Amino acid sequence: MSEDAMQLDEIVVTARKRARGESLQETPISATAFGPAQMENFFVNDIVDVGRLAPSVALQPSAQKGVQNFAIRGMGVSGSTPSDEPAVGIFQDGVYWGSNYGALGDLFDVESVEILRGPQGTLFGRNVTGGAVSFRSARPSFSDSTKATVGIGNYGSYEASAVLNRPLVQDKLAARLAVQSRWLDGYFTDATTDSDYGESHSLIVRPSLRFTPNDNLDVTLIGEWYSEKGDPVVARGVSPSTLPGSPLTLPQQEGYLTPANFWTVAPDTRGSNDIDVLFGVLEVNWNLGGGVLTSVTGYRDVRTRVLTDFDGTPSRAFLQSIAQDQDQFSSELRYAMPLSDSFDFTTGLYYFEQNFNFREGRDLNNGTQRLATRSLLDNDSFAIFAEADWRPLDRLTVTVGARYTEETKKAQAAPFGACALDFSTCTLSPQAKTDDSNLSPKLGLAYRLTDDQLLFASATRGFRSGGFSLRGTPIIEPYKAEQVTAYEIGYKADLLNRHLRFNLSAYNNDYKDLQRTVLGTSPTQGVVQSVFNAADATIRGIEVEATAILTEHLSVSGSYGHTDAEYKSFAGVADPGSRQFVRVPKDSFNLTASYERTLADGGAFKANLSSSYTGAYFFDDPNLLKQKSYNLLDANLNYTTPSGVWTVSVYGKNLTKEEYAFWGSTLGFLGQNSFPGAPRTWGLRLTAEY
């Protein structure tokens, strides 16, 4: 192998929405990007998996199936309240997910994933104060290709997928169809029946068309149907073991999430889970006037039906039913143009609207207490934005940008007790309305020390939308937008003839009017538990990423993130600095190694090993429930035949059988519950590609 062939590959990203893709190493933002080869190397199934490979990123599920609790640089959401706006924006093919409900983003037939760390308000808008995750589906190409995969694993795991790509009119019209289905009997044992628990069946169907009538116009239409059915997220009651009704206190327990029989549950009812997501996007790129005019129009419809034994014990103490319907429409029109070698810009308009209808029922204390709530929300938003790069000197770039947003929310709610459990009757409040506007500016500097080394710094502002608390409480006065002022410096380098890639970032983010659920006083309702602008905080940290080619066959990579999150004020807390953020470990890191070589028979062998460490963190604002630190070790072996058509793979995840949970809560006199992560899993996969 030549010296040039051993160099690290250039990674091209579209994070800054310029007229053409940019090299990640030349882009003055903190970002991690993955292509199909990297995701296949580490058997990435969804966004949760890919989040373990980036620093200061925690992409976790919640206590409801298909609801994400994503955090970047200490900012995120913990819970499943539908009105809670995310702090990490998810963008599928350029379309923002307006709700935390839906799928967790199965990364099947995806050509790229970009994780942008820190506020991204100028180009991506509201609700990206922590960062953004953008993934892009593979587009139809003008060549015949077919890829099919089947797999089998422990815990009754099966998978099958196929991708067909065909040119319909050469160089003019191409079609692609991607289909994937996965089955799982469940990772858990039901202690009351000694049967499997956690069954799941998911299906993705994604057809797409690409039309290029001439060299200046490219039109892509993508549709997707996602379905997931089976058992709900597994809740496990861990303390106490007594029946409901006994007076109990909840002392802080350092290691409460590591009891014996960790993957055993004892539900009184199996529950059910039913999610359907319809998605469509039309993307048009038109080379016009020396630049590119881009239109991205998307629609998403989410239907969720969940019945969960939330206390996770044999006693019928807390049976929860949730029905959530959400639909959204968005359209972005932008123009990007390099005016000269020293100046280029992107500017655009954006419109978004969504509606949701949320219902929740709670059957408590063996049916002696039955409560239900309902909420409705209409939300629309409009924005205008621009960002420009100016190079006054050969190696110096100045970036200036801003985004202005106007937003309206209209809401109705029926608190717990105002609806019958079957929703045959329900008394909704009069409609409440709030209007808001916000400006998100950015100033950045980038200086090229050499052709392979970049220094950059930025100052930016962003916001997380205000609104109404819509889960079981009366509608009170709206809470304000959450504001962040962020400062960052960074260094990117390809060294040793591009055998070593080293990136370093440091940041300081000041948050004002943090939205937290606390006891507060409303002028109209008195003392209520609801969302208030309850806190101010500072989050600072450092991040390191490195990749090295050690030999012709061996490469290693790793990342480290240290997060120091501190409350400056917190309503009702005398010493806010002593309280830790929810789901924010101080330290996290990952290490990966890949070994690849051509065998004597002409076939190829590849081995991959990855380890991800997550430091200890709390699940709740009072800091009662703590998850201890844990490390997940994954590995896989792959052999590709000399023809290049067949690949057989053996993989294992959580090989050390680490015990951890991705969510936990206190349930008053019922004690506590936890939602365990997956145990050790393994499987065999066969792929044909031609």
Side-chain angles (χ1 to χ4, degrees):
M1 181 181 290
S2 68
E3 186 72 11
D4 287 345
M6 288 176 57
Q7 292 181 336
L8 290 164
D9 293 333
E10 180 183 49
I11 301 172
V12 177
V13 296
T14 59
R16 298 203 304 158
K17 302 184 179 181
R18 297 304 194 249
R20 56 185 70 91
E22 301 176 291
S23 168
L24 179 60
Q25 288 300 100
E26 297 176 359
T27 305
I29 60 174
S30 295
T32 305
F34 305 93
Q38 292 166 292
M39 289 185 281
E40 289 178 3
N41 280 350
F42 299 103
F43 281 67
V44 167
N45 290 326
D46 53 30
I47 292 179
V48 174
D49 287 341
V50 81
R52 298 191 182 109
L53 302 175
S56 305
V57 175
L59 308 181
Q60 296 179 322
S62 81
Q64 296 296 337
K65 210 67 173 285
V67 179
Q68 66 264 23
N69 280 178
F70 293 171
I72 297 178
R73 289 186 172 178
M75 284 308 300
V77 174
S78 184
S80 55
T81 299
S83 57
D84 285 352
E85 300 281 8
V88 175
I90 307 300
F91 296 83
Q92 179 179 1
D93 295 308
V95 177
Y96 168 72
W97 288 9
S99 171
N100 286 327
Y101 277 73
L104 281 172
D106 271 28
L107 297 177
F108 167 62
D109 197 35
V110 168
E111 68 179 29
S112 68
V113 178
E114 299 174 12
I115 301 178
L116 315 179
R117 303 189 298 276
Q120 307 293 325
T122 302
L123 292 175
F124 288 87
R126 61 199 184 94
N127 304 333
V128 287
T129 52
V133 178
S134 175
F135 63 98
R136 182 177 172 87
S137 304
R139 266 46 177 175
S141 63
F142 294 103
S143 60
D144 273 327
S145 65
T146 300
K147 182 176 182 179
T149 299
V150 293
I152 187 171
N154 60 339
Y155 296 103
S157 172
Y158 302 91
E159 63 176 321
S161 66
V163 179
L164 305 176
N165 190 98
R166 298 289 185 269
L168 304 180
V169 179
Q170 190 59 44
D171 299 327
K172 300 293 183 183
L173 182 65
R176 189 178 187 92
L177 176 64
V179 180
Q180 176 185 265
S181 186
R182 289 195 176 120
W183 297 263
L184 178 69
D185 285 346
Y187 298 133
F188 307 92
T189 299
D190 185 337
T192 58
T193 63
D194 196 31
S195 60
D196 294 333
Y197 195 90
E199 177 185 357
S200 175
H201 175 217
S202 65
L203 175 67
I204 296 176
V205 179
R206 185 188 300 133
S208 55
L209 288 171
R210 184 182 176 194
F211 179 49
T212 57
N214 54 58
D215 292 340
N216 293 319
L217 186 62
D218 192 322
V219 181
T220 302
L221 177 64
I222 301 173
E224 181 180 287
W225 174 46
Y226 176 88
S227 172
E228 183 177 359
K229 303 185 188 324
D231 292 329
V233 172
V234 174
R236 187 183 188 286
V238 296
S239 174
S241 58
T242 56
L243 292 176
S246 58
L248 298 164
T249 59
L250 297 174
Q252 180 173 322
Q253 300 182 33
E254 291 292 321
Y256 98 104
L257 290 177
T258 57
N261 304 316
F262 191 72
W263 288 288
T264 299
V265 296
D268 63 87
T269 184
R270 190 172 189 92
S272 61
N273 176 70
D274 188 347
I275 298 173
D276 284 287
V277 181
L278 294 176
F279 172 79
V281 60
L282 176 65
E283 179 181 316
V284 180
N285 291 283
W286 182 18
N287 295 327
L288 180 67
V292 179
L293 181 67
T294 299
S295 171
V296 179
T297 302
Y299 174 80
R300 192 167 186 258
D301 183 281
V302 179
R303 178 187 180 276
T304 301
R305 301 291 185 270
V306 179
L307 177 65
T308 305
D309 177 27
F310 202 69
D311 59 285
T313 70
S315 172
R316 196 181 184 90
F318 191 162
L319 189 62
Q320 181 190 55
S321 62
I322 283 181
Q324 159 80 343
D325 296 289
Q326 182 256 354
D327 64 83
Q328 65 172 71
F329 170 84
S330 65
S331 183
E332 179 172 280
L333 182 67
R334 65 177 186 267
Y335 185 67
M337 179 181 180
L339 279 176
S340 67
D341 291 340
S342 61
F343 188 83
D344 62 81
F345 69 91
T346 298
T347 187
L349 302 171
Y350 177 77
Y351 175 75
F352 170 87
E353 65 178 25
Q354 75 167 333
N355 304 277
F356 79 61
N357 181 357
F358 176 82
R359 287 91 71 203
E360 178 180 356
R362 297 183 178 182
D363 187 341
L364 307 174
N365 296 341
N366 294 308
T368 61
Q369 187 178 10
R370 296 183 174 185
L371 303 170
T373 181
R374 185 182 183 188
S375 54
L376 305 171
L377 178 71
D378 294 332
N379 176 201
D380 62 76
S381 175
F382 170 80
I384 181 170
F385 62 92
E387 188 172 284
D389 288 340
W390 174 49
R391 286 169 283 279
L393 301 174
D394 183 49
R395 293 187 176 274
L396 178 65
T397 301
V398 180
T399 300
V400 179
R403 186 186 192 101
Y404 176 75
T405 302
E406 291 187 349
E407 184 172 22
T408 299
K409 288 184 176 180
K410 300 175 182 177
Q412 288 181 278
F416 277 115
C419 299
L421 193 61
D422 61 359
F423 297 98
S424 57
T425 60
C426 201
T427 305
L428 287 164
S429 67
Q431 188 180 78
K433 178 182 177 182
T434 181
D435 297 298
D436 197 11
S437 62
N438 210 289
L439 180 67
S440 299
K442 178 176 181 177
L443 174 64
L445 297 173
Y447 186 77
R448 301 205 63 81
L449 296 172
T450 67
D451 289 343
D452 295 319
Q453 297 183 73
L454 176 71
L455 279 175
F456 65 93
S458 67
T460 186
R461 296 190 67 183
F463 77 102
R464 181 180 170 207
S465 295
F468 300 95
S469 181
L470 298 177
R471 189 169 190 179
T473 58
I475 286 185
I476 62 172
E477 296 70 25
Y479 50 86
K480 299 184 296 184
E482 188 177 278
Q483 304 278 351
V484 59
T485 303
Y487 305 93
E488 179 178 21
I489 58 173
Y491 170 74
K492 294 184 176 185
D494 281 346
L495 306 171
L496 304 177
N497 193 27
R498 290 181 62 184
H499 284 63
L500 173 64
R501 179 165 292 159
F502 180 79
N503 296 340
L504 174 67
S505 299
Y507 61 91
N508 187 97
N509 297 343
D510 289 322
Y511 287 89
K512 182 181 179 183
D513 294 325
L514 283 174
Q515 298 163 11
R516 295 291 186 267
T517 300
V518 296
L519 286 175
T521 302
S522 161
T524 59
Q525 301 288 338
V527 177
V528 294
Q529 181 176 359
S530 186
V531 176
F532 291 88
N533 299 107
D536 297 332
T538 297
I539 303 179
R540 55 180 65 90
I542 58 172
E543 297 160 348
V544 181
E545 294 181 284
T547 303
I549 298 177
L550 300 183
T551 71
E552 179 182 351
H553 306 292
L554 179 63
S555 63
V556 297
S557 64
S559 68
Y560 168 73
H562 175 77
T563 307
D564 181 12
E566 182 180 10
Y567 285 111
K568 295 189 291 186
S569 65
F570 200 119
V573 179
D575 183 13
S578 65
R579 178 163 292 190
Q580 296 188 32
F581 271 55
V582 174
R583 291 176 177 263
V584 181
K586 283 188 177 294
D587 298 286
S588 61
F589 63 81
N590 72 80
L591 293 171
T592 66
S594 296
Y595 180 85
E596 183 175 3
R597 70 179 306 148
T598 301
L599 303 178
D601 67 354
F605 171 77
K606 184 185 295 185
N608 301 288
L609 180 70
S610 68
S611 176
S612 61
Y613 170 86
T614 302
Y617 58 87
F618 287 98
F619 283 117
D620 59 337
D621 281 317
N623 292 173
L624 295 174
L625 306 182
K626 189 175 185 179
Q627 166 63 56
K628 70 172 188 175
S629 62
Y630 61 93
N631 187 79
L632 300 179
L633 181 67
D634 303 341
N636 60 78
L637 302 173
N638 310 270
Y639 171 72
T640 301
T641 59
S643 66
V645 173
W646 296 96
T647 299
V648 59
S649 305
V650 179
Y651 67 89
K653 295 190 174 186
N654 192 7
L655 292 174
T656 58
K657 207 175 182 181
E658 192 86 346
E659 296 180 350
Y660 72 100
F662 56 79
W663 210 82
S665 62
T666 57
L667 301 174
F669 61 81
L670 301 179
Q672 309 159 345
N673 66 359
S674 69
F675 295 78
R680 179 170 57 220
T681 58
W682 53 264
L684 176 69
R685 184 178 290 176
L686 179 65
T687 301
E689 188 170 6
Y690 52 91

